[in-house]
Amino acid sequence: MKSYKAPRSIEIGGNGGVKPLRIGGSAPVSIQTMWKSPLTGGDLESIARTLGGLEQLGCDIVRFAVPDMESADALVGLSKISSMPLVADIHFDHRLALRCLDGRVAKIRINPGNIGSEDKVRQVTEKARDTNAAIRIGVNSGSLPRDIQERLEAAVPESAEARLHSRASALVETAIREMEAFDRFSFDRVIVSMKASTVAETIEANRLFALRYDAPLHLGVTEAGPLVGGIVKSTLAFSALLADNIGSTVRVSLSDTMENEVIAAREILSECGKRPGGVRIVSCPRCGRNGFDVHSFVDRWQRRLMSMDRDITVAVMGCVVNGPGEGKHADIGITGAGDSVIIFRHGETVRTVRGALDPETVDRAFAEELDKL
Ligand code: SF4
């Protein structure tokens, strides 16, 4: 068994009304997503409400692209009205990082390698230190430094395994180079991500890094893909790494909604034993025996159930053939039964809604029984 370094603990947030959050150490693995539209100075209150909804789903951190001063100003404004720890994602222009650090932005994602001069790196580092912000170095396989990329292309690996190792090593070498730029200023509030677009490379790079360094790792598979493919790739990569206790914070990158990124991350962490508690939904796939539409019920209820601050299991089954039996362990369950719907607790029927399968009636009955839990 290889011996990986335990991640050091870094606390972010805690300024003004921003929720404090620990990354690394013995803290639970945190969940991130990224805002999917340009950030302008528009309706920041509405964005703050959306962030509140994401928080209820289990999201701990939200990152925003900051390509210009308008979005930096907007992020500063948002950081003053939202309790969510926010991250500014910046490339090239250190002045954007300095501006974001005027607010309560908890973390900056920026690579010293593309900021420019050492003095610019120093300015960002000093201001991050003064404002208790952390910095994430984000290394992607698609944007390695030219010398490392050229060396990689010139090499002729003897096997697929050797090729995988050299590509993963290139990610680690790039991350170390970036970390050293911060080491020069004794700044260690650094989180590192190394994202490759394949699962194997992502796992290998993070393992190689964790053998030698204790910077907390942000896990992600870059350009993971649409909903199903993206979740499959992220699940494979994260579960292998989390089993080795590698990974302090995760983002499931999907060509899909922020809500689904958060729910997917939450499910992965829960199944890996890294995020206890919360609402677990078990539901049947539905088949020709179904007496009620499991799919639409789950669609209507998933977000509401997962936003509840409860530690319960909810079963949604299509028919009585397997419904109450398979849902015996559930704190509450619902199943179709011919032209009726049965609501049960730990397999015992507590309510039967006869001949009324319209969604409103079913939802009302289920909500009333849920309230009694
Ligand atoms: S619970 Fe009933 S409807 Fe659902 S998959 Fe099983 S047999 Fe089919």
Side-chain angles (χ1 to χ4, degrees):
M1 179 90 177
K2 288 182 174 161
S3 174
Y4 299 107
K5 301 270 184 197
R8 61 175 174 258
S9 174
I10 296 175
E11 182 156 320
I12 62 168
N15 296 331
V18 179
K19 187 178 68 174
L21 182 77
R22 258 190 326 122
I23 298 176
S26 58
V29 178
S30 53
I31 294 174
Q32 315 205 10
T33 186
M34 189 163 183
W35 194 257
K36 306 233 169 193
S37 311
L39 181 62
T40 62
D43 191 354
L44 296 181
E45 292 285 349
S46 158
I47 295 174
R49 281 194 295 279
T50 303
L51 296 180
L54 289 168
E55 184 177 357
Q56 283 185 325
L57 278 177
C59 184
D60 301 299
I61 303 167
V62 178
R63 179 161 51 116
F64 289 79
V66 178
D68 51 34
M69 205 48 88
E70 184 189 5
S71 46
D73 289 342
L75 192 63
V76 168
L78 186 62
S79 72
K80 291 177 179 169
I81 60 169
S82 171
S83 61
M84 175 75 77
L86 304 179
V87 183
D89 190 298
I90 294 165
H91 290 266
F92 309 119
D93 190 344
H94 79 295
R95 291 168 303 177
L96 299 175
L98 296 175
R99 172 60 184 135
C100 288
L101 292 168
D102 285 336
R104 296 168 185 153
V105 169
K107 192 173 18 149
I108 303 282
R109 186 258 172 161
I110 196 164
N111 290 359
N114 68 31
I115 294 180
S117 72
E118 193 161 304
D119 184 55
K120 291 174 182 172
V121 177
R122 181 189 57 75
Q123 289 178 47
V124 173
T125 309
E126 283 179 1
K127 196 154 181 183
R129 199 192 325 269
D130 289 348
T131 57
N132 208 35
I135 296 180
R136 170 160 73 92
I137 293 165
V139 177
N140 282 7
S141 55
S143 53
L144 297 172
R146 185 177 298 171
D147 61 319
I148 293 178
Q149 181 66 35
E150 285 175 356
R151 184 161 22 99
L152 200 58
E153 285 167 6
V156 187
E158 286 171 5
S159 63
E161 208 172 62
R163 181 179 148 82
L164 169 69
H165 183 78
S166 62
R167 292 183 66 84
S169 299
L171 281 168
V172 175
E173 185 180 347
T174 306
I176 293 167
R177 191 181 285 182
E178 299 284 8
M179 279 201 309
E180 283 169 353
F182 289 127
D183 284 347
R184 283 196 275 279
F185 302 104
S186 305
F187 184 82
D188 65 356
R189 296 172 53 74
V190 172
I191 293 153
V192 172
S193 68
M194 289 160 295
K195 299 185 182 181
S197 51
T198 72
V199 169
E201 248 174 74
T202 304
I203 294 172
E204 179 77 355
N206 281 280
R207 281 181 174 156
L208 286 173
F209 183 93
L211 280 172
R212 294 169 55 195
Y213 299 95
D214 70 349
L217 286 166
H218 162 128
L219 304 184
V221 180
T222 192
E223 297 140 20
L227 188 68
V228 177
I231 291 174
V232 169
K233 284 186 192 173
S234 299
T235 304
L236 288 168
F238 296 1
S239 57
L241 291 166
L242 292 168
D244 290 335
N245 287 323
I246 297 172
S248 299
T249 180
V250 299
R251 181 197 175 195
V252 176
S253 298
L254 299 174
S255 306
D256 206 277
T257 63
M258 293 182 291
E259 286 78 7
N260 279 340
E261 290 191 356
V262 172
I263 291 170
R266 183 176 152 170
E267 294 285 333
I268 295 169
L269 293 181
S270 172
E271 291 301 322
C272 291
K274 299 290 181 184
R275 190 122 174 161
V279 176
R280 292 162 298 283
I281 302 174
V282 293
S283 58
C284 85
R286 201 178 76 189
C287 74
R289 292 193 195 89
N290 82 94
F292 116 108
D293 190 350
V294 171
H295 294 190
S296 69
F297 185 87
V298 170
D299 275 353
R300 293 198 304 279
W301 277 86
Q302 178 175 246
R303 193 168 166 174
R304 182 166 163 189
L305 287 169
M306 296 196 101
S307 298
M308 291 170 64
D309 188 15
R310 300 290 301 269
D311 182 3
I312 55 171
T313 299
V314 179
V316 186
M317 299 293 175
C319 75
V320 283
V321 171
N322 294 320
E326 286 190 4
K328 239 181 206 155
H329 58 289
D331 298 279
I332 187 167
I334 185 165
T335 182
D339 64 352
S340 303
V341 163
I342 291 172
I343 299 171
F344 55 91
R345 281 200 223 154
H346 298 287
E348 298 296 323
T349 300
V350 292
R351 185 154 172 167
T352 303
V353 186
R354 294 187 197 287
L357 298 182
D358 64 285
E360 274 181 28
T361 308
V362 171
D363 288 357
R364 199 175 321 115
F366 185 73
E368 285 170 11
E369 293 303 325
L370 193 60
D371 281 349
K372 293 180 194 167
L373 277 183

